[in-house]
Amino acid sequence: MPWACQNDGMVSLLADSLSKSYSTPDSELDVLVDVSLSLAASENLAILGPSGSGKSTLLAILGTLDQPSSGTLKIGDADPFQLPEPQLAEFRSRQIGFIFQDHHLLPQCTVLENVLVPFLASGSAGAVEIDEATQLIGRVGLADRLLHRPAQLSGGEKQRVAIARALVRKPILVLADEPTGNLDSRTAEEVSRLLLELQVEQESMLVAVTHSQQLADSMQRRLHLDNGQLVEHV
Ligand code: ADP
Ligand code: MG
């Protein structure tokens, strides 16, 4: 499997001159213009910027959910956009974890089943996977909620489940799109702290789009996206 990457401290992310344009009948919209960024293994990065500045578009490309109009992306040793679709899907489910503003949990499934979802993309979940998921659910403070369904959880608890789901396969890259955007400030702070603790423990890379200064300030680097271009803030 030439595209498999180990989380051995050597992996990194390199985005080079990513551009994304959308054509509409009367105009061409340049959402991202020559965006380049690199991330060392285990590093975390906040992306800030006004609504409509292309933050979610950039995250979707870094997550290989969307193709850039031009530019290249390397994640670990992989050049994901060169992979045929089935291998790209396997790479994505194995190596990338996603957390959205809205938890995106499956309403009909329990907490445990939701956290097992990433394993199902590569086959079935057996005793080992159930044990790993159960441990991580305990780590996010929900050991006594294993069989609850999302509707029976608070907003903060749902985001904790979403974090566990994103991290359960120990991906090398975690992408979070306004992960605390729907939470009150105290819950947002707790969820942010948990996300960063787990990212450090698992030594994954984390890119988080956020409007929360508190979350951005607790991350190692901050980039600002404006008019499709990235500027690094110190
Ligand atoms: P942000 O996450 O920073 O709020 P987005 O990345 O969601 O911004 O969107 C950036 C811009 O790209 C917006 O003007 C949006 O309307 C436009 N856009 C996003 N997706 C599409 C699409 N599929 N087709 C056309 N325009 C799009
Ligand atoms: Mg967005």
Side-chain angles (χ1 to χ4, degrees), residues 28-55:
E28 175 102 346
L29 179 65
D30 297 321
V31 180
L32 300 174
V33 183
D34 275 340
V35 168
S36 296
L37 68 90
S38 64
L39 213 59
S42 312
E43 199 173 21
N44 66 49
L45 165 74
I47 295 184
L48 301 132
S51 180
S53 60
K55 303 181 300 296

PDB file of all heavy atoms in Angstrom, residues 28-55:
ATOM      1  N   GLU A  28     -16.859  34.374 -12.893  1.00  0.00           N
ATOM      2  CA  GLU A  28     -15.955  33.355 -12.357  1.00  0.00           C
ATOM      3  C   GLU A  28     -15.614  33.798 -10.931  1.00  0.00           C
ATOM      4  O   GLU A  28     -15.179  34.928 -10.723  1.00  0.00           O
ATOM      5  CB  GLU A  28     -14.689  33.306 -13.233  1.00  0.00           C
ATOM      6  CG  GLU A  28     -13.623  32.389 -12.723  1.00  0.00           C
ATOM      7  CD  GLU A  28     -13.585  31.054 -13.484  1.00  0.00           C
ATOM      8  OE1 GLU A  28     -14.534  30.735 -14.209  1.00  0.00           O
ATOM      9  OE2 GLU A  28     -12.576  30.346 -13.307  1.00  0.00           O
ATOM     10  N   LEU A  29     -15.857  32.906  -9.963  1.00  0.00           N
ATOM     11  CA  LEU A  29     -15.601  33.254  -8.567  1.00  0.00           C
ATOM     12  C   LEU A  29     -14.317  32.570  -8.113  1.00  0.00           C
ATOM     13  O   LEU A  29     -14.228  31.347  -8.090  1.00  0.00           O
ATOM     14  CB  LEU A  29     -16.786  32.778  -7.718  1.00  0.00           C
ATOM     15  CG  LEU A  29     -16.727  33.021  -6.212  1.00  0.00           C
ATOM     16  CD1 LEU A  29     -16.741  34.514  -5.901  1.00  0.00           C
ATOM     17  CD2 LEU A  29     -17.904  32.328  -5.534  1.00  0.00           C
ATOM     18  N   ASP A  30     -13.302  33.376  -7.784  1.00  0.00           N
ATOM     19  CA  ASP A  30     -12.031  32.827  -7.304  1.00  0.00           C
ATOM     20  C   ASP A  30     -12.064  32.771  -5.786  1.00  0.00           C
ATOM     21  O   ASP A  30     -11.863  33.784  -5.116  1.00  0.00           O
ATOM     22  CB  ASP A  30     -10.860  33.708  -7.777  1.00  0.00           C
ATOM     23  CG  ASP A  30     -10.751  33.717  -9.295  1.00  0.00           C
ATOM     24  OD1 ASP A  30     -10.954  32.654  -9.904  1.00  0.00           O
ATOM     25  OD2 ASP A  30     -10.482  34.800  -9.862  1.00  0.00           O
ATOM     26  N   VAL A  31     -12.346  31.599  -5.245  1.00  0.00           N
ATOM     27  CA  VAL A  31     -12.509  31.473  -3.796  1.00  0.00           C
ATOM     28  C   VAL A  31     -11.158  31.351  -3.104  1.00  0.00           C
ATOM     29  O   VAL A  31     -10.932  31.952  -2.057  1.00  0.00           O
ATOM     30  CB  VAL A  31     -13.400  30.254  -3.464  1.00  0.00           C
ATOM     31  CG1 VAL A  31     -13.569  30.104  -1.960  1.00  0.00           C
ATOM     32  CG2 VAL A  31     -14.759  30.404  -4.125  1.00  0.00           C
ATOM     33  N   LEU A  32     -10.244  30.566  -3.687  1.00  0.00           N
ATOM     34  CA  LEU A  32      -8.890  30.444  -3.139  1.00  0.00           C
ATOM     35  C   LEU A  32      -7.902  30.793  -4.242  1.00  0.00           C
ATOM     36  O   LEU A  32      -8.062  30.350  -5.389  1.00  0.00           O
ATOM     37  CB  LEU A  32      -8.610  29.009  -2.669  1.00  0.00           C
ATOM     38  CG  LEU A  32      -9.521  28.448  -1.567  1.00  0.00           C
ATOM     39  CD1 LEU A  32      -9.199  26.977  -1.322  1.00  0.00           C
ATOM     40  CD2 LEU A  32      -9.382  29.240  -0.273  1.00  0.00           C
ATOM     41  N   VAL A  33      -6.904  31.600  -3.899  1.00  0.00           N
ATOM     42  CA  VAL A  33      -5.923  32.045  -4.886  1.00  0.00           C
ATOM     43  C   VAL A  33      -4.516  31.707  -4.385  1.00  0.00           C
ATOM     44  O   VAL A  33      -4.038  32.312  -3.424  1.00  0.00           O
ATOM     45  CB  VAL A  33      -6.038  33.573  -5.133  1.00  0.00           C
ATOM     46  CG1 VAL A  33      -5.057  34.002  -6.212  1.00  0.00           C
ATOM     47  CG2 VAL A  33      -7.460  33.956  -5.519  1.00  0.00           C
ATOM     48  N   ASP A  34      -3.904  30.704  -4.995  1.00  0.00           N
ATOM     49  CA  ASP A  34      -2.502  30.368  -4.662  1.00  0.00           C
ATOM     50  C   ASP A  34      -2.245  30.217  -3.162  1.00  0.00           C
ATOM     51  O   ASP A  34      -1.339  30.839  -2.612  1.00  0.00           O
ATOM     52  CB  ASP A  34      -1.561  31.456  -5.204  1.00  0.00           C
ATOM     53  CG  ASP A  34      -1.199  31.197  -6.647  1.00  0.00           C
ATOM     54  OD1 ASP A  34      -1.343  30.039  -7.093  1.00  0.00           O
ATOM     55  OD2 ASP A  34      -0.779  32.154  -7.315  1.00  0.00           O
ATOM     56  N   VAL A  35      -3.059  29.401  -2.540  1.00  0.00           N
ATOM     57  CA  VAL A  35      -2.898  29.189  -1.098  1.00  0.00           C
ATOM     58  C   VAL A  35      -1.861  28.091  -0.861  1.00  0.00           C
ATOM     59  O   VAL A  35      -2.005  26.982  -1.368  1.00  0.00           O
ATOM     60  CB  VAL A  35      -4.243  28.791  -0.454  1.00  0.00           C
ATOM     61  CG1 VAL A  35      -4.033  28.288   0.972  1.00  0.00           C
ATOM     62  CG2 VAL A  35      -5.203  29.973  -0.479  1.00  0.00           C
ATOM     63  N   SER A  36      -0.814  28.426  -0.110  1.00  0.00           N
ATOM     64  CA  SER A  36       0.201  27.435   0.239  1.00  0.00           C
ATOM     65  C   SER A  36       0.326  27.372   1.747  1.00  0.00           C
ATOM     66  O   SER A  36       0.269  28.406   2.426  1.00  0.00           O
ATOM     67  CB  SER A  36       1.559  27.817  -0.350  1.00  0.00           C
ATOM     68  OG  SER A  36       1.490  27.803  -1.762  1.00  0.00           O
ATOM     69  N   LEU A  37       0.454  26.178   2.270  1.00  0.00           N
ATOM     70  CA  LEU A  37       0.735  26.052   3.697  1.00  0.00           C
ATOM     71  C   LEU A  37       1.384  24.713   3.965  1.00  0.00           C
ATOM     72  O   LEU A  37       1.193  23.757   3.210  1.00  0.00           O
ATOM     73  CB  LEU A  37      -0.523  26.252   4.545  1.00  0.00           C
ATOM     74  CG  LEU A  37      -1.649  25.236   4.515  1.00  0.00           C
ATOM     75  CD1 LEU A  37      -1.442  24.161   5.580  1.00  0.00           C
ATOM     76  CD2 LEU A  37      -2.972  25.933   4.786  1.00  0.00           C
ATOM     77  N   SER A  38       2.170  24.673   5.022  1.00  0.00           N
ATOM     78  CA  SER A  38       2.772  23.403   5.405  1.00  0.00           C
ATOM     79  C   SER A  38       2.593  23.217   6.895  1.00  0.00           C
ATOM     80  O   SER A  38       2.484  24.189   7.661  1.00  0.00           O
ATOM     81  CB  SER A  38       4.248  23.357   5.030  1.00  0.00           C
ATOM     82  OG  SER A  38       4.938  24.340   5.755  1.00  0.00           O
ATOM     83  N   LEU A  39       2.525  21.977   7.276  1.00  0.00           N
ATOM     84  CA  LEU A  39       2.295  21.629   8.675  1.00  0.00           C
ATOM     85  C   LEU A  39       3.230  20.488   9.029  1.00  0.00           C
ATOM     86  O   LEU A  39       3.303  19.495   8.296  1.00  0.00           O
ATOM     87  CB  LEU A  39       0.846  21.173   8.811  1.00  0.00           C
ATOM     88  CG  LEU A  39       0.080  21.455  10.088  1.00  0.00           C
ATOM     89  CD1 LEU A  39       0.006  22.947  10.364  1.00  0.00           C
ATOM     90  CD2 LEU A  39      -1.331  20.900   9.964  1.00  0.00           C
ATOM     91  N   ALA A  40       3.947  20.654  10.129  1.00  0.00           N
ATOM     92  CA  ALA A  40       4.805  19.565  10.595  1.00  0.00           C
ATOM     93  C   ALA A  40       3.957  18.533  11.323  1.00  0.00           C
ATOM     94  O   ALA A  40       2.843  18.833  11.767  1.00  0.00           O
ATOM     95  CB  ALA A  40       5.867  20.131  11.537  1.00  0.00           C
ATOM     96  N   ALA A  41       4.490  17.342  11.454  1.00  0.00           N
ATOM     97  CA  ALA A  41       3.798  16.305  12.207  1.00  0.00           C
ATOM     98  C   ALA A  41       3.478  16.820  13.605  1.00  0.00           C
ATOM     99  O   ALA A  41       4.278  17.534  14.208  1.00  0.00           O
ATOM    100  CB  ALA A  41       4.677  15.066  12.290  1.00  0.00           C
ATOM    101  N   SER A  42       2.300  16.504  14.098  1.00  0.00           N
ATOM    102  CA  SER A  42       1.849  16.862  15.456  1.00  0.00           C
ATOM    103  C   SER A  42       1.583  18.350  15.648  1.00  0.00           C
ATOM    104  O   SER A  42       1.350  18.783  16.773  1.00  0.00           O
ATOM    105  CB  SER A  42       2.837  16.419  16.536  1.00  0.00           C
ATOM    106  OG  SER A  42       3.221  15.100  16.338  1.00  0.00           O
ATOM    107  N   GLU A  43       1.641  19.107  14.577  1.00  0.00           N
ATOM    108  CA  GLU A  43       1.440  20.551  14.724  1.00  0.00           C
ATOM    109  C   GLU A  43      -0.047  20.889  14.619  1.00  0.00           C
ATOM    110  O   GLU A  43      -0.801  20.197  13.948  1.00  0.00           O
ATOM    111  CB  GLU A  43       2.209  21.279  13.612  1.00  0.00           C
ATOM    112  CG  GLU A  43       2.460  22.732  13.920  1.00  0.00           C
ATOM    113  CD  GLU A  43       3.372  23.405  12.890  1.00  0.00           C
ATOM    114  OE1 GLU A  43       3.495  22.906  11.755  1.00  0.00           O
ATOM    115  OE2 GLU A  43       3.946  24.439  13.239  1.00  0.00           O
ATOM    116  N   ASN A  44      -0.450  21.981  15.290  1.00  0.00           N
ATOM    117  CA  ASN A  44      -1.838  22.433  15.109  1.00  0.00           C
ATOM    118  C   ASN A  44      -1.875  23.882  14.653  1.00  0.00           C
ATOM    119  O   ASN A  44      -0.966  24.665  14.920  1.00  0.00           O
ATOM    120  CB  ASN A  44      -2.682  22.185  16.358  1.00  0.00           C
ATOM    121  CG  ASN A  44      -2.251  22.999  17.557  1.00  0.00           C
ATOM    122  OD1 ASN A  44      -2.061  24.206  17.455  1.00  0.00           O
ATOM    123  ND2 ASN A  44      -2.089  22.323  18.697  1.00  0.00           N
ATOM    124  N   LEU A  45      -2.934  24.197  13.934  1.00  0.00           N
ATOM    125  CA  LEU A  45      -3.028  25.457  13.209  1.00  0.00           C
ATOM    126  C   LEU A  45      -4.480  25.931  13.217  1.00  0.00           C
ATOM    127  O   LEU A  45      -5.389  25.138  12.930  1.00  0.00           O
ATOM    128  CB  LEU A  45      -2.578  25.202  11.765  1.00  0.00           C
ATOM    129  CG  LEU A  45      -2.899  26.226  10.698  1.00  0.00           C
ATOM    130  CD1 LEU A  45      -1.994  27.441  10.863  1.00  0.00           C
ATOM    131  CD2 LEU A  45      -2.698  25.631   9.308  1.00  0.00           C
ATOM    132  N   ALA A  46      -4.691  27.214  13.547  1.00  0.00           N
ATOM    133  CA  ALA A  46      -6.027  27.798  13.465  1.00  0.00           C
ATOM    134  C   ALA A  46      -6.149  28.594  12.167  1.00  0.00           C
ATOM    135  O   ALA A  46      -5.201  29.263  11.764  1.00  0.00           O
ATOM    136  CB  ALA A  46      -6.268  28.731  14.647  1.00  0.00           C
ATOM    137  N   ILE A  47      -7.289  28.496  11.518  1.00  0.00           N
ATOM    138  CA  ILE A  47      -7.566  29.333  10.344  1.00  0.00           C
ATOM    139  C   ILE A  47      -8.731  30.243  10.695  1.00  0.00           C
ATOM    140  O   ILE A  47      -9.809  29.780  11.092  1.00  0.00           O
ATOM    141  CB  ILE A  47      -7.872  28.482   9.103  1.00  0.00           C
ATOM    142  CG1 ILE A  47      -6.635  27.675   8.720  1.00  0.00           C
ATOM    143  CG2 ILE A  47      -8.320  29.375   7.939  1.00  0.00           C
ATOM    144  CD1 ILE A  47      -6.772  26.859   7.465  1.00  0.00           C
ATOM    145  N   LEU A  48      -8.479  31.545  10.582  1.00  0.00           N
ATOM    146  CA  LEU A  48      -9.481  32.551  10.893  1.00  0.00           C
ATOM    147  C   LEU A  48      -9.842  33.286   9.613  1.00  0.00           C
ATOM    148  O   LEU A  48      -9.087  33.256   8.637  1.00  0.00           O
ATOM    149  CB  LEU A  48      -8.909  33.544  11.919  1.00  0.00           C
ATOM    150  CG  LEU A  48      -8.475  32.906  13.240  1.00  0.00           C
ATOM    151  CD1 LEU A  48      -7.093  33.367  13.646  1.00  0.00           C
ATOM    152  CD2 LEU A  48      -9.484  33.195  14.318  1.00  0.00           C
ATOM    153  N   GLY A  49     -10.971  33.984   9.639  1.00  0.00           N
ATOM    154  CA  GLY A  49     -11.333  34.776   8.468  1.00  0.00           C
ATOM    155  C   GLY A  49     -12.829  34.992   8.433  1.00  0.00           C
ATOM    156  O   GLY A  49     -13.587  34.216   9.003  1.00  0.00           O
ATOM    157  N   PRO A  50     -13.256  36.044   7.732  1.00  0.00           N
ATOM    158  CA  PRO A  50     -14.681  36.359   7.693  1.00  0.00           C
ATOM    159  C   PRO A  50     -15.488  35.295   6.964  1.00  0.00           C
ATOM    160  O   PRO A  50     -14.934  34.485   6.209  1.00  0.00           O
ATOM    161  CB  PRO A  50     -14.739  37.697   6.947  1.00  0.00           C
ATOM    162  CG  PRO A  50     -13.441  37.817   6.239  1.00  0.00           C
ATOM    163  CD  PRO A  50     -12.440  37.003   6.991  1.00  0.00           C
ATOM    164  N   SER A  51     -16.786  35.309   7.193  1.00  0.00           N
ATOM    165  CA  SER A  51     -17.691  34.393   6.514  1.00  0.00           C
ATOM    166  C   SER A  51     -17.568  34.582   4.999  1.00  0.00           C
ATOM    167  O   SER A  51     -17.468  35.704   4.521  1.00  0.00           O
ATOM    168  CB  SER A  51     -19.116  34.696   6.983  1.00  0.00           C
ATOM    169  OG  SER A  51     -20.005  33.839   6.351  1.00  0.00           O
ATOM    170  N   GLY A  52     -17.530  33.494   4.271  1.00  0.00           N
ATOM    171  CA  GLY A  52     -17.444  33.573   2.823  1.00  0.00           C
ATOM    172  C   GLY A  52     -16.023  33.710   2.298  1.00  0.00           C
ATOM    173  O   GLY A  52     -15.809  33.826   1.090  1.00  0.00           O
ATOM    174  N   SER A  53     -15.027  33.689   3.179  1.00  0.00           N
ATOM    175  CA  SER A  53     -13.643  33.902   2.730  1.00  0.00           C
ATOM    176  C   SER A  53     -12.997  32.631   2.182  1.00  0.00           C
ATOM    177  O   SER A  53     -11.851  32.677   1.727  1.00  0.00           O
ATOM    178  CB  SER A  53     -12.799  34.489   3.865  1.00  0.00           C
ATOM    179  OG  SER A  53     -12.779  33.625   4.976  1.00  0.00           O
ATOM    180  N   GLY A  54     -13.695  31.494   2.253  1.00  0.00           N
ATOM    181  CA  GLY A  54     -13.160  30.272   1.651  1.00  0.00           C
ATOM    182  C   GLY A  54     -12.605  29.270   2.650  1.00  0.00           C
ATOM    183  O   GLY A  54     -11.972  28.292   2.252  1.00  0.00           O
ATOM    184  N   LYS A  55     -12.896  29.466   3.936  1.00  0.00           N
ATOM    185  CA  LYS A  55     -12.337  28.578   4.965  1.00  0.00           C
ATOM    186  C   LYS A  55     -12.817  27.134   4.786  1.00  0.00           C
ATOM    187  O   LYS A  55     -12.019  26.197   4.811  1.00  0.00           O
ATOM    188  CB  LYS A  55     -12.706  29.091   6.368  1.00  0.00           C
ATOM    189  CG  LYS A  55     -12.263  30.525   6.645  1.00  0.00           C
ATOM    190  CD  LYS A  55     -12.632  30.989   8.041  1.00  0.00           C
ATOM    191  CE  LYS A  55     -14.113  30.964   8.347  1.00  0.00           C
ATOM    192  NZ  LYS A  55     -14.929  31.888   7.514  1.00  0.00           N
TER     193      LYS A  55
END
